[in-house]
Amino acid sequence: AVLNLMPQLTHGEEIALGTTKVFLKLSAYDALEKKRDTALRSAALEALAQANSIDELEAALRIAASDLRIRGPQVDKARSRLADLKFLQAENQALVALDADPRLNVNQLQERLDIAETAITNLDTTGSKDKESR
């Protein structure tokens, strides 16, 4: 598999295959690490582009921004989308909680108001939408 990834390396000069190990000269190791890094970054950016849920975006951002230290417009766009999704989720929670059924008793209404209050607090802390746009 190593030789398929690195066809420009000469077997015997840069790479030695043992029974259970592959031995690389520094130049071969560096070339292999560069290809590995490129593949990881490409996969991380693809995951950011395809993530559709809050959980998927958080996981993809954790890998791309924290683990691989990728910076740039793709990461910024994903962070913005994550903040937007969190805002919409909190907004939806508040609306659902305030959509009270007239058959609810006082305790149930209070529970709904508490949920709505929590959701509205989350709206204020999501950071994506400024207060003027609400």
Side-chain angles (χ1 to χ4, degrees):
V2 173
L3 295 176
N4 292 338
L5 289 173
M6 307 297 293
Q8 73 273 18
L9 298 177
T10 307
H11 181 66
E13 291 179 26
E14 299 286 324
I15 297 175
L17 299 175
T19 306
T20 59
K21 293 184 181 179
V22 176
F23 301 92
L24 306 171
K25 285 194 174 181
L26 184 58
S27 60
Y29 175 80
D30 289 343
L32 190 59
E33 280 298 306
K34 185 175 180 180
K35 283 194 174 274
R36 177 184 170 274
D37 185 57
T38 301
L40 284 174
R41 288 176 179 276
S42 177
L45 292 175
E46 184 68 25
L48 281 178
Q50 292 184 0
N52 292 318
S53 70
I54 290 173
D55 291 339
E56 289 173 357
L57 272 170
E58 285 177 335
L61 276 168
R62 186 173 42 257
I63 292 168
S66 298
D67 298 347
L68 298 176
R69 302 188 197 290
I70 296 174
R71 304 285 182 258
Q74 297 97 331
V75 173
D76 295 340
K77 183 178 177 183
R79 282 189 177 123
S80 178
R81 282 190 335 181
L82 178 61
D84 288 345
L85 285 174
K86 285 183 174 184
F87 178 88
L88 291 172
Q89 180 185 50
E91 186 176 53
N92 188 49
Q93 288 172 343
L95 291 173
V96 167
L98 290 174
D99 186 23
D101 185 337
R103 297 171 288 180
L104 296 177
N105 65 37
V106 173
N107 290 334
Q108 292 169 320
L109 284 172
Q110 185 59 51
E111 287 175 17
R112 289 274 183 107
L113 286 172
D114 292 343
I115 292 169
E117 184 179 0
T118 301
I120 290 168
T121 301
N122 289 339
L123 283 173
D124 290 337
T125 60
T126 57
S128 158
K129 305 290 184 190
D130 59 31
K131 292 179 182 173
E132 295 169 8
S133 67
R134 286 185 231 157

